Structures are given as structure tokens and as C-alpha cells.
Amino acid sequence: MTRVRVTAPRQSAAPASGRVVHSHEATEDSDAGRIFVRSLIRSQLRLASVVACGFLVILAVLAAILVYGPGVAETRVMGIRLDWLALGVGIYPVIGLSAWLYNRAAARNEARYRDLVEDK
């Protein structure tokens, strides 16, 4: 079975450096380019896995505290049980923080990739 990669030129404006480097250019140029692209893909996958696992661990710990914590189920805030309030509202800052950290680290990975390709 043969893999075929279909690519198209980007329609967005060129970066400030004036030189546009596409990932398919790097893979077509040399073996080093293919290694750079694989490295970028692996680092992005690793990052996504770490952020997703970290989020799930935080969610599991929060749920365990709410379920097994003494008196949590009976505590009410503005007439709403604390466990429902924490899971329904309190988890959104954790989601936002996870997304912000992922976005920042992914941009850093891509900047490192661009630096490697441009230096090549």
C-alpha cells in the first residue's frame, strides 16, 4: 500500500521573515527534512498526550474528592450541591488553563521546527 500526501500552497500572507517554508518542502528536500517533520509530529503528539492525561488526572482527583470527601455531598452553595457546582462550573478554569498551556507549548514546538528548517 502506498501513501500519498496531498498538499496545497497556503493562502495566507507570508511571515515577517519574507521566506515561506512549507513542511512539504522540507520533506522533499532531504532525509533531514523528513526527520524534522517526524520530530515535530512526535513532539506535538507527546504534548497533546501529556496535556490530555494531566487534565484527566485533575478531573479524576477532583471527582474523587467530591465523591469521597466528608460532607461534600451535603454542602450547598446558593441552594446547589457543592459537588455539582464544582464539576459544572469549577472545571472550566482547568479546561482553559490546559488549553492555554497546550497552545503555548505547541507554538514553541513549531517555532523550534521553523528554526531548524531555516538553519538547514
Side-chain angles (χ1 to χ4, degrees):
M1 183 172 183
T2 304
R3 286 186 163 195
V4 177
R5 181 179 290 180
V6 179
T7 59
R10 297 176 91 182
Q11 300 298 324
S12 63
S17 67
R19 181 172 184 262
V20 177
V21 178
H22 296 287
S23 62
H24 67 279
E25 288 176 9
T27 58
E28 292 172 0
D29 286 348
S30 66
D31 290 334
R34 285 188 213 96
I35 290 170
F36 291 155
V37 171
R38 283 190 203 129
S39 174
L40 174 65
I41 292 170
R42 273 195 308 268
S43 66
Q44 296 293 54
L45 179 61
R46 188 178 324 115
L47 174 64
S49 299
V50 166
V51 171
C53 288
F55 174 74
L56 291 176
V57 165
I58 290 171
L59 183 62
V61 167
L62 178 63
I65 289 171
L66 294 175
V67 169
Y68 297 113
V72 174
E74 292 82 28
T75 305
R76 294 188 177 269
V77 176
M78 296 185 297
I80 302 171
R81 288 179 30 190
L82 180 61
D83 52 355
W84 282 102
L85 191 62
L87 287 175
V89 176
I91 201 66
Y92 286 105
V94 176
I95 293 170
L97 180 65
S98 298
W100 180 75
L101 288 172
Y102 174 80
N103 193 15
R104 194 172 136 198
R108 188 173 44 237
N109 284 344
E110 291 172 3
R112 288 179 187 158
Y113 168 75
R114 278 192 306 273
D115 291 342
L116 284 172
V117 170
E118 289 174 358
D119 289 344
K120 188 180 93 144

